[in-house]
Amino acid sequence: MVGEHSARVHEEPVSFWRRYIFSTDHKVIGIQYYLTAMAMALVGGTLAMLIRLQLGWPEAKWPLLAKIFPRGMSGGVMNPDFYLALITMHGTLMIFFVISLGLVSGFGNYLLPLHIGARDMAFPFLNMLSYWTVVPACVIILASFFVEGGAAASGWTAYPPLSAVEQAVPGSGLGQTLWLLGMALFIASFTMGGLNFVTTILNERTRGMSMMRLPLFIWTLLIASILGLLAFPPLTAAAILLLFDRHGGTSFFLPSGLYFGERVLPHSGGSPLLWQHLFWFLGHPEVYVLILPALGIALDLLPPFTRKPIFGYRLTVYSLFAIGVLSMIVWGHHMFVSGMNPYVGEFFAIGTLAITIPSAIIGFNLIASLWGARLQLRTPALFALGAIAFFGTGGLGGIFLGNATSDIQLHDTYFVVGHFHFMIGGVTLLALFGGTYYWFPKMFGRMMSERLGKLHFWLTFLSFYAVFLTQHFLGLGGMPRRYYAFSKFEFLAPIRDMNAFISIAAFVLGAAQLIFLVNFFWSLFRGARAEQNPWRATTLEWVAPTPPPHGNWGETVPEVHRWPYDYSVPGAPEDFTPQTVPPTVVTVTQ
Amino acid sequence: MNQAAKSAGIESVWRGGISPFAVSWRKLMMWLFIITDGLLFAGLLAGYGFVRLASPRWPNRAEIFHLDFIALMTFILITSSATMATAVGAARQGRPKTVVRFLLLTILGGLSFLGCQAYEWSKLIGEGARLSTNPWGVPLFSAAFFIITGFHGSHVLTGVLILSIVAVRALRQRVSPEGVELAGLYWHFVDLVWVFIFTLFYLI
C-alpha cells in the first residue's frame, strides 16, 4: 500500500487533460481553486457595485443597466426583489465561493504539502474530486440568477420562512432550491478537502517537521479544517430538513398560522428558531474557518520582511486552539434578538467576550513581531500590515456586538455590516492579496509588479476604511441593513446622504481590484523572472525548484532541522536560515 | 514529539503512524469522516429534539410501533457488529476464509435490518403516515421518523455495499487487514448511531 501510494505520486501525467484539468497534483488543484475563486469574486464584486449603486442613489434611473438586466432593472430602476437577490448572492458568493475557495482551498492546497515537506496530499484523488464537486456548485449557484423568480433572496443566512415557503418572495422559488443544492455540493467538497487537510498535516510531515515546527499558516489551516469538519454537518442536516420543508410538505421550520394571500398554509409545529440555531452553529465557526488562515498568512508574511522571528509562536498556537474551542459554543450571539432566555444570552455573551482574549493575544503577537524589525515595505508586507490594522478595527467593533446589551441596539444595522466586512471581507481579502504577491513567484516563476502592487494596496486600504468605517457610524445612527432604500425614513434623513459617499468609495475599491487583475495577468506572462528564493525566506517551499515539479522535491524529500522563523540568528552566515540547514552549520533555536 | 519524528525514517513518516496520533493516514481519515458524519446525525437528532420539546404533545410510540420488533432489529444490527469484529480479528490473524464467512454474515445482518425497516415503513405508510401528515395528530412526528430512519437506512445500505466490495476483494485475497478494519469502523459507527436513534426516538 505504502509503496503504491508514493510511487503514484512520482509518476508525472503526460496528457493535457490529466495534467491541467483532471489533475491530482495539489499545486494544479490549488491554482484551479484560486482561479475559480477569482472568477466568482468578479461576479460577487459586480453584485456589490450594483448594491452600492442602489443605496447611493435610490431614486436615480440607469437606462443602460435596464438593457443588461431587463428583469431586475426594468425601466432603469432596480426592482426590490432583485436587490434582495443581490445582497443574498453577494454574501453567499463572497463567503463560500471566494474566501473559502481562494484562501482555504486555494492557498491551502498549493502550500500545505510544500510547507510540510510532503510530495502531495494524503488523498490526491479525493482532492481532485473535491475540486470537481465545487465546480458544479459554482455553476448551479450562478445559474440561479437565470431561473424564474431569480436567485435566492432570503439573505446569505437563508432564514425561514422566506427560504422555506416557496411563495414568499420571487427568489424563494427555484432560486432558493438551487441555492440549497449549490451549498450542499459546496459542503460536500469542503468536507472532502478538510478531511484531506487534517490527515495530511497530521500524518505526512517530513522527517524532523514536528508539530511545533510547522509554519503558523499550517496551524491555522489545521484548526480551520477541524472547525469546518465539525461545523458543516449540522448545516447539512438543516439544509436537508429545509429541502423537506420546501418540497416534502414537512414543517420543521414553519409554525402554524402562516398566511399567504387569503390562504392559511398547512404547516404546523415547527420553529424558524431551529434553523437559526443550526445555521449559526455552522455560521459562527465558519467565520473562524475564514479568518484564521488569513491571520496565518499575515503571521507568515511578517518574518521575511521584518527579518526577525515571529513573536510568541507557542502562545499563538495555544490561542488558535482556544479560539477553535470557544467558537463552537458562542453561536447564540447572532440570536440575541431572536428571543432567548436572558441567562442563555448571558452565557453566549460571556463566551463571545472570552474569545477576544485569544484573538487579542494573536493581534498583539502580530504587532510585537514588528518590534525592533528591519522593516522592508514590499507589497506583501504592506498587505500583512493592512490585515493587522483591519483585524484591530474589526475586532473593536466585535466587542460591541458580542455583548448582548449593546447588540440588541446594533443588531441588523450597518454596524454589523461594517464589522463583518472588516473581519471577513477585509482581513481575509488583504491576506489573499498579500499571499498572492508573496507566493506568485513560487507558483508561476515570475515576480508581480511592485509599483502596481503598492498602488493596489493603498487604494484598497484607504477606500476600504472609507466604506466600512463609515458604515459603523450609519449603524450607530440606527440605519438597518438589507433595506432597499432609506428615503422614506425621517429619522435617517441626517445621515442618509453618507450613502452616496460610501458608494463612491466602494467604486474606488472595486476599480482598485482591476489593477490587481491587470498586474496578475500581465506578470503571468511579462513579469521579471523570479529566483528560487526571492524573499530570502526560510520555509520549505523556497527550497523546492521554481515552479515546483510534480512530486515537489525531485529525488529526496527535504529534512527539517529547525522551526520556520530562524531570521537573523547570531553567528549564521546569512540573516535567514532555511529549515533544511543542519544544526552543525547554524545552531537550532527551536 | 521530536524524538518520534527523528527516529522514524522518511518512508515511515510518509505513511504516517507517528505522533501526534500513531495511526495510518487512511485510518485517521476514516475517524475524521466518522466524526463529521456523526455530527450530521447529531444535527438531525437535535432538530428532532427541538421540534419535539416545542410540541405540546407527542404520540405514544408504544401504540404506534411494535417495540419488540424494533428491539429485534436492534439486536440483529448489534449482532452484525459482533460478526464484523470477528472478521476484523480474522483478517489480522491472516485467515481469509473466516474473513469472507463473517463478512457475509455481517452483510446478511445488514440486509435483514434493512428488510425489517422496509416492513416497518410500509406498515406505517399503510396506516396513513406521510412526510406531511399522519393519523396520530402531530405531523412532525412522522416527518422526523421518515427522515431520521431513512437517513440511517441509507447509511446501512452504503455499509452493505462497502462490505460487499470488501468481501469480493477478500475472496480474491486483495484486501489488507487494515482495509477490513476501516470498513468495520464505518459499520460499528452506523450501528452506534442506531443505538442513539433507538433510544432517543423509540424509547424516550
Side-chain angles (χ1 to χ4, degrees):
Chain A
M1 272 304 152
V2 179
E4 210 179 282
H5 182 247
S6 11
R8 195 171 64 222
V9 170
H10 284 296
E11 269 168 42
E12 189 163 354
V14 279
S15 78
F16 173 80
W17 284 93
R18 294 287 300 166
R19 198 171 169 148
Y20 295 108
I21 310 296
F22 296 105
S23 171
T24 54
D25 188 322
H26 71 98
K27 298 182 290 297
V28 179
I29 295 172
I31 292 171
Q32 283 176 329
Y33 266 120
Y34 185 90
L35 294 178
T36 312
M38 199 187 253
M40 297 303 268
L42 280 176
V43 181
T46 312
L47 300 186
M49 297 299 111
L50 287 169
I51 294 170
R52 282 321 313 179
L53 197 68
Q54 164 65 21
L55 289 177
W57 301 275
E59 261 119 43
K61 279 196 169 200
W62 312 94
L64 186 68
L65 289 174
K67 284 179 193 147
I68 310 174
F69 307 100
R71 221 169 21 182
M73 310 244 339
S74 52
V77 180
M78 191 176 288
N79 186 337
D81 298 324
F82 186 57
Y83 177 79
L84 289 177
L86 287 181
I87 57 164
T88 303
M89 296 306 281
H90 168 72
T92 308
L93 290 181
M94 286 302 198
I95 292 166
F96 296 108
F97 291 88
V98 176
I99 304 294
S100 291
L101 287 197
L103 197 64
V104 184
S105 308
F107 278 125
N109 266 312
Y110 190 90
L111 293 170
L112 204 165
L114 282 169
H115 262 151
I116 65 171
R119 291 200 184 275
D120 208 310
M121 303 292 276
F123 267 118
F125 180 79
L126 196 71
N127 207 12
M128 175 181 86
L129 198 63
S130 110
Y131 176 71
W132 286 104
T133 311
V134 98
V135 171
C138 294
V139 173
I140 288 174
I141 280 276
L142 291 179
S144 71
F145 277 107
F146 304 99
V147 297
E148 169 137 24
S154 52
W156 77 278
T157 52
Y159 274 12
L162 272 189
S163 58
V165 180
E166 288 189 41
Q167 308 93 317
V169 285
S172 304
L174 188 52
Q176 189 72 46
T177 306
L178 291 180
W179 185 91
L180 278 168
L181 287 178
M183 284 302 294
L185 284 174
F186 171 82
I187 293 171
S189 155
F190 203 78
T191 307
M192 289 187 250
L195 288 171
N196 225 338
F197 278 14
V198 177
T199 312
T200 310
I201 295 171
L202 291 181
N203 265 9
E204 310 265 297
R205 283 165 290 126
T206 183
R207 186 206 282 252
M209 181 64 95
S210 63
M211 291 300 278
M212 278 306 180
R213 283 178 179 172
L214 287 175
L216 283 166
F217 176 56
I218 301 301
W219 268 111
T220 57
L221 268 186
L222 177 67
I223 307 286
S225 309
I226 294 174
L227 282 182
L229 287 178
L230 297 180
F232 270 113
L235 181 71
T236 317
I240 292 164
L241 298 183
L242 187 58
L243 270 178
F244 275 107
D245 270 10
R246 293 172 55 77
H247 302 291
T250 63
S251 38
F252 286 97
F253 304 123
L254 293 167
S256 55
L258 284 179
Y259 279 84
F260 182 74
E262 300 283 291
R263 207 161 47 84
V264 186
L265 294 176
H267 299 281
S268 77
S271 164
L273 274 183
L274 172 58
W275 170 270
Q276 297 188 16
H277 278 293
L278 289 173
F279 181 86
W280 286 116
F281 185 79
L282 153 91
H284 197 72
E286 165 70 10
V287 299
Y288 288 97
V289 171
L290 303 179
I291 202 163
L292 291 184
L295 291 175
I297 288 184
L299 284 158
D300 273 359
L301 288 197
L302 285 181
F305 299 100
T306 57
R307 310 312 291 174
K308 67 182 279 277
I310 197 79
F311 184 87
Y313 178 91
R314 270 172 195 275
L315 210 54
T316 303
V317 172
Y318 300 151
S319 301
L320 289 172
F321 271 104
I323 290 179
V325 172
L326 286 171
S327 74
M328 301 295 292
I329 52 165
V330 297
W331 75 90
H333 67 217
H334 295 269
M335 301 169 58
F336 285 141
V337 298
S338 303
M340 63 165 72
N341 186 317
Y343 290 109
V344 181
E346 199 161 333
F347 167 78
F348 283 127
I350 291 170
T352 308
L353 295 184
I355 286 198
T356 55
I357 297 169
S359 310
I361 290 176
I362 295 181
F364 282 125
N365 284 348
L366 280 162
I367 296 171
S369 299
L370 302 173
W371 181 262
R374 282 182 288 136
L375 201 57
Q376 302 169 355
L377 281 182
R378 309 284 294 272
T379 315
L382 283 176
F383 277 94
L385 294 174
I388 301 175
F390 281 6
F391 187 57
T393 316
L396 282 177
I399 295 174
F400 292 90
L401 293 173
N403 195 332
T405 325
S406 47
D407 178 75
I408 289 171
Q409 173 72 24
L410 296 169
H411 189 90
D412 262 346
T413 67
Y414 269 90
F415 194 92
V416 178
V417 179
H419 162 72
F420 185 78
H421 278 84
F422 263 110
M423 296 308 245
I424 300 305
V427 179
T428 53
L429 213 56
L430 289 197
L432 200 56
F433 290 135
T436 309
Y437 287 104
Y438 183 71
W439 281 297
F440 192 89
K442 185 50 69 179
M443 286 175 165
F444 303 107
R446 288 175 189 272
M447 305 295 287
M448 286 180 83
S449 156
E450 277 283 310
R451 187 182 299 210
L452 286 178
K454 281 178 179 157
L455 184 67
H456 173 218
F457 170 77
W458 285 111
L459 283 176
T460 305
F461 186 73
L462 295 175
S463 57
F464 203 96
Y465 261 107
V467 173
F468 295 107
L469 198 61
T470 318
Q471 286 190 344
H472 279 79
F473 292 102
L474 293 187
L476 284 172
M479 190 174 279
R481 67 196 274 217
R482 289 185 176 164
Y483 279 31
Y484 163 70
F486 299 100
S487 26
K488 299 281 185 288
F489 299 93
E490 211 166 294
F491 76 101
L492 291 174
I495 51 175
R496 200 156 47 206
D497 293 337
M498 275 158 94
N499 266 320
F501 165 73
I502 293 177
S503 290
I504 292 167
F507 295 148
V508 175
L509 181 60
Q513 309 320 310
L514 299 179
I515 301 176
F516 170 75
L517 280 184
V518 169
N519 193 354
F520 187 93
F521 287 103
W522 182 83
S523 306
L524 201 55
F525 301 105
R526 293 286 159 83
R529 289 267 173 210
E531 324 157 31
Q532 187 173 336
N533 189 356
W535 314 110
R536 299 161 59 77
T538 54
T539 38
L540 280 184
E541 77 270 27
W542 303 106
V543 177
T546 294
H550 193 73
N552 295 346
W553 311 106
E555 284 295 299
T556 48
V557 175
E559 190 176 337
V560 169
H561 298 283
R562 57 189 71 243
W563 78 324
Y565 302 108
D566 261 348
Y567 288 92
S568 308
V569 180
E574 282 182 288
D575 71 342
F576 70 105
T577 315
Q579 284 184 280
T580 47
V581 173
T584 44
V585 182
V586 179
T587 4
V588 172
T589 54
Q590 185 172 340
Chain B
M1 204 181 275
N2 288 351
Q3 289 307 313
K6 273 173 192 160
S7 62
I10 288 284
E11 280 309 312
S12 66
V13 171
W14 178 243
R15 96 181 150 222
I18 53 157
S19 74
F21 303 116
V23 293
S24 74
W25 50 272
R26 299 200 302 165
K27 203 190 279 183
L28 184 64
M29 183 88 99
M30 188 44 112
W31 273 112
L32 292 170
F33 171 75
I34 284 174
I35 294 170
T36 314
D37 214 23
L39 275 156
L40 181 66
F41 279 103
L44 287 174
L45 285 171
Y48 148 72
F50 191 102
V51 293
R52 180 167 164 184
L53 286 175
S55 170
R57 53 179 224 87
W58 198 252
N60 183 359
R61 272 86 56 222
E63 290 168 11
I64 298 164
F65 306 113
H66 290 288
L67 284 180
D68 308 351
F69 182 69
I70 312 294
L72 177 71
M73 282 168 70
T74 312
F75 179 74
I76 292 174
L77 205 60
I78 289 175
T79 312
S80 78
S81 248
T83 53
M84 186 70 227
T86 315
V88 173
R92 282 215 193 109
Q93 292 157 6
R95 290 184 289 144
K97 274 188 188 158
T98 324
V99 174
V100 176
R101 198 177 307 139
F102 277 89
L103 278 177
L104 287 178
L105 277 174
T106 313
I107 293 169
L108 188 68
L111 288 176
S112 328
F113 177 85
L114 285 174
C116 292
Q117 202 165 45
Y119 169 75
E120 197 198 359
W121 272 45
S122 59
K123 193 170 129 299
L124 287 179
I125 292 171
E127 287 169 16
R130 299 285 182 278
L131 268 176
S132 52
T133 166
N134 64 57
W136 307 292
V138 184
L140 277 172
F141 171 74
S142 51
F145 169 78
F146 284 122
I147 290 174
I148 291 176
T149 59
F151 228 69
H152 178 261
S154 68
H155 273 70
V156 176
L157 186 63
T158 317
V160 168
L161 290 174
I162 293 171
L163 289 179
S164 311
I165 294 168
V166 175
V168 170
R169 286 173 66 102
L171 207 59
R172 295 182 186 163
Q173 309 222 333
R174 281 190 52 208
V175 68
S176 64
E178 200 188 48
V180 183
E181 196 187 337
L182 293 181
L185 275 178
Y186 178 78
W187 190 254
H188 296 317
F189 161 71
V190 172
D191 291 2
L192 185 66
V193 167
W194 177 256
V195 172
F196 276 90
I197 294 173
F198 181 57
T199 314
L200 293 174
F201 198 90
Y202 293 90
L203 292 184
I204 293 179

